[in-house]
Amino acid sequence: MNPENAPEKPPAHSNFIRDIIVEDLKTNKYGGRVHTRFPPEPNGYLHIGHAKSIWLNFGLAAEFGGKTNLRFDDTNPEKEEQEYVDSIKDTVRWLGYDWEDRLFYASDYFPQLYEWAVQLIKAGKAYVCDLSADEVRQYRGTLTEPGKESPYRNRSVEENLDLFARMRAGEFPDGSRTLRAKIDMASPNLNLRDPVMYRILHATHHRTGDQWSIYPMYDFAHGQSDSIERVTHSICTLEFEDHRPLYDWYIEQLGIYHPQQIEFDRLNLTYTLLSKRKLLQLVQEGRVRGWDDPRMPTLSGLRRRGYTPQAIRNFCAAIGVSKTNGIIELGLLEHYVREDLNRRAPRAMAVLRPLKVVIDNYPEGQVEEMEAVNNPEDASAGTRKVPFSRVLYIEQEDFREDPPKQYYRLSPGREVRLRYGYFITARSVVKNAAGEIVEVHCTYDPETRGGNAPDGRKVKSTIHWVSAEHAVEAEVRLYENLFTRPNPNETEPGQDFTANLNPHSLEVLTGCKLEPSLANPAAGDRYQFERLGYFAADPDTAPGKPVFNRTVALRDTWAKIEKRGQEGVRS
Ligand code: ATP
Ligand code: MG
């Protein structure tokens, strides 16, 4: 296993679900077993919210020597696809978790679920109902008013068995009938007002093909699947709290092994949507380049962007779980990404918006190999040689002809340090016809090689550079938040969330100049480009033609000063 994927020891810190498990182990409720499952519906790619659930289910079981199943909750053939199954498996593995030989599908249980439905019919606990979906809704009542019983509620067992068998045989059109549990139309819990167990759907399922023309509802499939798999703690998100009485009811009526459902808070993140339906809309409308677009909160998107599985796990451990839904700052996730990349990413020099610098007193044709530290956080990463020559590139923003106050980078007459190189002083500029600076002429002090002056004089700024003759040309993709509002669902009347898409979420820079060691990265290789941020090689990288994604910026102190200045002017 790739070391970055190796799960760290589960955190010793506690949460209420862990407390329940500890208590159950103490009382020997499940014979000392801890068995969880992660149950995605294969109707989209996994997102950062799912990571929280994966971390919780796999992490808790691992801590107590238990097991975790991967189970596809594939009861809705109209929206599910093999492509999603494959990506989900790949993503769970990437996050660092292993279901071993325990890969299951709810669709594997369709025959058993059918038998259980027949069992409930025979016990007088389920009936075939001919009301349409609309009528079922009208009969259900509201939170303040009880529902009305279906006129089909008191069909005989024989008639129900016959009709249900014919539903299965495909005799009836979609939506014409349902199988419903006979519970209580006056229950204060709407989920108990004769919930639908099976619906008729003539659809091709990605695994069972056309075998079935009826499909179980989530509530009739989930608990029983947990039971079949002998899950001990069935951990799900809070919106299922009101479904728990139904989960328990089915299991009790069937008299089968009873797992415990426990609910926790969903992850919500600022500037981010975590709904597969909405993410699918972004993909289908071409608002992003696909499910794995680095702007997407999908785990495949974050992976492509350069996030590490370790950073995501650390984030999950930090936010923990609770019983109330809240919103986490996107900045916190970015913090854990920076923290992890700071430790593991080798440093390199790259110039994104190049400005040519000519060192007039540096010998023509001379090339020196400067020694550069690969990772100050990791001595074992060693050093590398970076070529230095007479013509270099620096960032355009590292030179100002008229430097504002507090700007200490290069400007006429100002001396700065070139990282791992020499002190240089700007002498003059060359402008094009449009008056833009295209070249800065400098002199260097040969005594300052390595970055220090023998006479002890100081410079206030160190800037990065790339030797022009040795530079590798690259495309670099910069990302901002996909949405402009902290809550992307907050819109003006008549708009949908796409109105909040950030038009500047992607900026593509071409002609960027990289140091030669970056010529042939493998897709996924991560670096810190000094002073700029963390970057990961994109799968679009071709030999000698790197494409990098900015994973996350470093905190830029100058941008902050300048912004504060502007705000000062405005107010
Ligand atoms: P979505 O609303 O994005 O479609 P979902 O809940 O329908 O999500 P599932 O595939 O059913 O997606 O989810 C699998 C598991 O992941 C479930 O146990 C679900 O509760 C959990 N999960 C989904 N979204 C989140 C989230 N934002 N935070 C924590 N857990 C989540
Ligand atoms: Mg779901």
Side-chain angles (χ1 to χ4, degrees):
M1 185 182 261
N2 177 347
E4 78 179 21
N5 278 344
E8 66 286 1
K9 273 208 155 34
H13 72 249
S14 205
N15 61 57
F16 78 96
I17 299 180
R18 189 177 175 277
D19 293 343
I20 292 173
I21 293 177
V22 169
E23 183 61 24
D24 290 346
L25 287 171
K26 217 183 284 169
T27 60
N28 210 28
K29 185 168 172 191
Y30 301 101
R33 292 186 310 120
V34 177
H35 201 144
T36 60
R37 85 285 171 266
F38 173 63
E41 183 181 354
N43 61 351
Y45 283 57
L46 297 180
H47 53 60
I48 182 75
H50 293 110
K52 176 173 176 176
S53 174
I54 295 169
W55 170 83
L56 192 60
N57 278 293
F58 281 90
L60 281 174
E63 180 181 357
F64 296 102
K67 294 174 179 163
T68 305
N69 299 351
L70 175 60
R71 182 203 315 143
F72 287 99
D73 196 353
D74 54 349
T75 55
N76 190 1
E78 287 173 310
K79 291 187 176 161
E80 297 163 4
E81 284 175 31
Q82 187 61 38
E83 177 197 344
Y84 299 139
V85 169
D86 296 338
S87 86
I88 290 170
K89 285 161 70 178
D90 186 48
T91 298
V92 174
R93 263 189 227 112
W94 175 76
L95 259 189
Y97 298 104
D98 186 1
W99 57 88
E100 296 172 333
D101 57 351
R102 293 178 307 280
L103 173 63
F104 300 113
Y105 295 85
S107 55
D108 289 342
Y109 310 138
F110 285 172
Q112 173 70 77
L113 291 168
Y114 181 82
E115 275 177 41
W116 276 332
V118 168
Q119 182 184 330
L120 291 186
I121 293 173
K122 287 180 177 164
K125 301 283 183 183
Y127 62 96
V128 173
C129 178
D130 300 357
L131 294 179
S132 68
D134 270 348
E135 289 165 330
V136 168
R137 220 167 294 129
Q138 286 161 21
Y139 275 67
R140 187 177 296 135
T142 63
L143 284 172
T144 48
E145 282 181 36
K148 266 194 321 194
E149 293 191 351
S150 161
Y152 306 97
R153 199 172 199 258
N154 295 313
R155 275 179 163 149
S156 69
V157 169
E158 289 67 35
E159 189 183 4
N160 281 320
L161 286 174
D162 173 62
L163 285 172
F164 188 50
R166 288 162 62 194
M167 279 167 65
R168 178 189 183 169
E171 259 186 53
F172 309 122
D174 287 2
S176 58
R177 292 193 156 95
T178 54
L179 183 73
R180 298 176 67 181
K182 197 190 268 191
I183 309 183
D184 179 6
M185 288 308 292
S187 171
N189 184 337
L190 271 67
N191 293 303
L192 295 180
R193 294 186 187 172
D194 290 10
V196 172
M197 293 163 59
Y198 270 92
R199 65 224 152 102
I200 300 174
L201 200 59
H202 294 266
T204 304
H205 186 280
H206 67 106
R207 294 190 78 244
T208 58
D210 296 326
Q211 266 179 56
W212 294 89
S213 42
I214 53 172
Y215 289 92
M217 302 301 288
Y218 169 88
D219 284 318
F220 190 67
H222 199 81
Q224 288 91 306
S225 302
D226 287 341
S227 178
I228 291 169
E229 294 173 16
R230 317 248 350 135
V231 164
T232 55
H233 302 85
S234 175
I235 303 169
C236 62
T237 36
L238 280 173
E239 69 271 22
F240 291 103
E241 196 163 14
D242 291 345
H243 293 241
R244 181 164 17 102
L246 183 55
Y247 181 107
D248 292 340
W249 190 87
Y250 284 133
I251 285 185
E252 278 155 22
Q253 297 303 318
L254 292 168
I256 56 178
Y257 165 80
H258 198 153
Q260 175 65 49
Q261 177 179 306
I262 306 167
E263 309 84 17
F264 70 97
D265 60 321
R266 282 181 93 78
L267 172 66
N268 295 301
L269 272 181
T270 55
Y271 300 100
T272 307
L273 281 178
L274 297 180
S275 146
K276 280 184 279 186
R277 184 177 59 76
K278 289 177 184 165
L279 298 179
L280 176 64
Q281 187 182 334
L282 294 175
V283 173
Q284 285 177 336
E285 292 179 0
R287 310 284 188 150
V288 293
R289 292 179 175 186
W291 281 100
D292 69 344
D293 186 303
R295 291 168 289 180
M296 289 280 270
T298 53
L299 293 166
S300 52
L302 298 177
R303 175 182 183 177
R304 184 167 181 176
R305 176 123 167 205
Y307 282 39
T308 61
Q310 178 82 61
I312 292 171
R313 293 195 303 262
N314 291 349
F315 167 74
C316 292
I319 58 175
V321 291
S322 82
K323 271 285 186 191
T324 38
N325 283 320
I327 301 180
I328 304 285
E329 293 286 340
L330 180 57
L332 188 69
L333 176 59
E334 293 177 342
H335 163 80
Y336 282 98
V337 173
R338 276 193 202 98
E339 182 196 61
D340 189 44
L341 290 174
N342 180 43
R343 251 179 281 150
R344 68 172 83 242
R347 275 51 171 173
M349 290 200 283
V351 173
L352 302 190
R353 295 178 174 88
L355 171 63
K356 193 183 265 185
V357 164
V358 181
I359 305 174
D360 290 322
N361 61 337
Y362 192 86
E364 297 244 15
Q366 176 171 307
V367 178
E368 287 179 83
E369 297 288 334
M370 301 308 205
E371 183 160 41
V373 174
N374 284 333
N375 187 347
E377 302 290 320
D378 175 9
S380 72
T383 61
R384 69 189 185 285
K385 303 282 189 208
V386 185
F388 184 92
S389 65
R390 187 168 186 267
V391 182
L392 312 171
Y393 292 110
I394 64 167
E395 297 290 345
Q396 289 167 15
E397 63 173 25
D398 282 340
F399 178 80
R400 291 279 180 98
E401 198 175 17
D402 292 310
K405 248 198 205 160
Q406 294 184 64
Y407 183 92
Y408 299 118
R409 307 179 210 173
L410 200 59
S411 57
R414 166 84 46 75
E415 186 172 51
V416 301
R417 177 189 294 109
L418 292 175
R419 180 91 162 136
Y420 302 120
Y422 294 97
F423 285 10
I424 58 168
T425 305
R427 301 296 173 187
S428 62
V429 300
V430 176
K431 293 185 182 178
N432 63 14
E436 297 155 349
I437 298 168
V438 291
E439 234 173 78
V440 179
H441 284 257
C442 297
T443 54
Y444 85 118
D445 175 355
E447 301 298 313
T448 57
R449 188 185 157 133
N452 288 302
D455 64 7
R457 76 181 185 279
K458 299 279 181 234
V459 289
K460 280 203 164 160
S461 178
T462 301
I463 65 178
H464 63 276
W465 51 274
V466 171
S467 165
E469 179 192 337
H470 305 92
V472 175
E473 293 252 333
E475 176 178 323
V476 175
R477 300 171 184 168
L478 305 180
Y479 302 102
E480 283 180 21
N481 294 343
L482 186 52
F483 294 99
T484 52
R485 291 198 184 186
N487 175 4
N489 286 318
E490 190 184 288
T491 52
E492 309 304 325
Q495 295 181 329
D496 81 344
F497 66 93
T498 56
N500 290 326
L501 279 165
N502 176 3
H504 307 296
S505 60
L506 168 65
E507 184 181 4
V508 178
L509 302 177
T510 53
C512 304
K513 310 287 183 181
L514 312 183
E515 67 167 72
S517 73
L518 296 179
N520 288 301
D525 281 0
R526 307 181 187 91
Y527 294 90
Q528 185 194 102
F529 290 176
E530 298 226 10
R531 299 177 62 233
L532 299 175
Y534 295 97
F535 292 77
D538 190 85
D540 290 346
T541 291
K545 287 191 173 158
V547 177
F548 276 94
N549 296 311
R550 184 171 66 195
T551 310
V552 64
L554 298 174
R555 262 169 249 111
D556 181 341
T557 42
W558 173 251
K560 264 187 218 151
I561 292 171
E562 204 157 43
K563 203 164 153 214
R564 228 179 289 137
Q566 281 169 7
E567 277 160 11
V569 170
R570 252 186 267 128
S571 60

